[in-house]
Amino acid sequence: MTSFAPDSLVLNRKLPLWYQVSQSLRASILGRAPEASLRLPTEEQLAQHYGVSVLTMRQALKELEEEGLISRHRRRGTFIEPGARRGAPRRLLGSIDAIVAQQSGERTTVLGHGPEPVPVELAEHFPGAAEVVVYRRLRRDGDSGEPTNWAENALHPDVAAGLDIADLERWPMTKVLRDALGVRISRITDTVEARLADPRTAELLGVPLLSPILHYTGVTYDETGRVVDVARIRYRGDRFSFSVTVDAADRA
């Protein structure tokens, strides 16, 4: 393969394979090192890497091409678009790699971290715990440097004990939990709602006070059913939208 190396992927047979592959590849593209090649491996190499058919791989690449992340040239190959817009709509379809993909591709600054009393609004997620470890991060567009969102993650203390701050500056929290800390994530519940920017959000994101923002809450559970992380992310309303795709086979 070229110097661009996609992350590995454990496929979930309950979700469309092309979708899972596209989201995993999307996260790899947006989270790539600056010096990595813009040329992607061939369809056949990518299909072998992900363990899917070439037809499935083609469908995944078509999704990324329509989003503007890649361009495909006959006889020359497939290339990452260096100016690909990172504020594209987020498609949520119930895979961990989709969550990683939605958080990838931005420059991250850790604003602060440390133990804090469990916030009243999160008490139901951390029963019996007196404290959680909170991490606050500001994300900026990788090209323009413009603030796009800021995040607060409340982690169970025993999970946070093994976290390296340097990992949070280069990876989304979900990837850190799964790949760096070895947390076996069983599910993540997502909630997205419209809110008005409070003073701190307005200051960090550079938007007017009380302007519309998208407030995302993600609750991450491990294989025992315990909540290990609650993420609260404030997105600029003029840069992001969320959509949910329901596969016909999943309808009741």
Side-chain angles (χ1 to χ4, degrees):
M1 284 197 176
T2 68
S3 59
F4 174 81
D7 290 343
S8 59
L9 172 65
V10 178
L11 292 169
N12 180 343
R13 296 295 167 178
K14 294 182 179 180
L15 294 172
L17 298 182
W18 67 265
Y19 175 79
Q20 296 176 71
V21 170
S22 72
Q23 292 303 300
S24 178
L25 188 54
R26 183 184 192 278
S28 297
I29 288 172
L30 295 182
R32 71 191 186 281
E35 67 276 8
S37 172
L38 293 177
R39 184 180 188 130
L40 290 181
T42 66
E43 288 180 353
E44 291 76 12
Q45 288 173 317
L46 287 170
Q48 183 178 15
H49 174 77
Y50 285 113
V52 298
S53 70
V54 172
L55 287 176
T56 296
M57 195 65 240
R58 254 176 223 159
Q59 190 172 4
L61 291 172
K62 181 182 178 183
E63 174 81 1
L64 298 178
E65 186 177 25
E66 291 176 350
E67 188 179 335
L69 284 178
I70 64 173
S71 59
R72 309 177 75 188
H73 306 274
R74 190 172 182 180
R75 296 191 180 91
R76 288 180 52 214
T78 302
F79 296 84
I80 298 168
E81 286 291 331
R85 184 169 179 263
R86 289 166 165 79
R90 307 313 201 200
R91 297 183 62 192
L92 306 181
L93 196 61
S95 75
I96 300 301
D97 285 281
I99 301 299
V100 171
Q102 89 177 36
Q103 300 169 353
S104 296
E106 296 154 326
R107 299 204 316 256
T108 301
T109 301
V110 177
L111 302 175
H113 63 94
E116 297 181 12
V118 177
V120 173
E121 64 272 23
L122 302 186
E124 63 178 301
H125 300 301
F126 300 100
E131 290 185 332
V132 289
V133 181
V134 178
Y135 298 83
R136 295 182 175 89
R137 293 164 295 145
L138 177 66
R139 298 193 185 107
R140 299 178 181 273
D141 182 89
D143 296 321
S144 69
E146 181 182 38
T148 58
N149 64 86
W150 78 281
E152 289 181 299
N153 289 80
L155 267 64
H156 204 283
D158 63 348
V159 174
L163 193 149
D164 185 341
I165 292 297
D167 287 339
L168 278 184
E169 294 175 342
R170 54 180 178 162
W171 291 335
M173 179 64 83
T174 304
K175 184 175 177 65
V176 171
L177 290 172
R178 184 186 65 180
D179 298 344
L181 299 181
V183 175
R184 294 183 177 272
I185 298 174
S186 63
R187 72 184 192 277
I188 299 175
T189 61
D190 297 319
T191 304
V192 181
E193 58 185 315
R195 291 193 183 180
L196 301 179
D198 56 44
R200 181 161 175 75
T201 296
E203 178 185 4
L204 288 173
L205 299 186
V207 298
L209 183 65
L210 301 181
S211 61
I213 63 165
L214 292 176
H215 190 282
Y216 164 90
T217 303
V219 183
T220 301
Y221 299 80
D222 67 13
E223 61 183 348
T224 70
R226 181 185 66 160
V227 172
V228 294
D229 169 43
V230 178
R232 292 176 290 176
I233 308 176
R234 292 83 167 173
Y235 292 92
R236 281 183 53 160
D238 60 345
R239 291 295 305 276
F240 292 94
S241 65
F242 286 79
S243 63
V244 178
T245 301
V246 179
D247 188 82
D250 294 332
R251 295 178 183 171

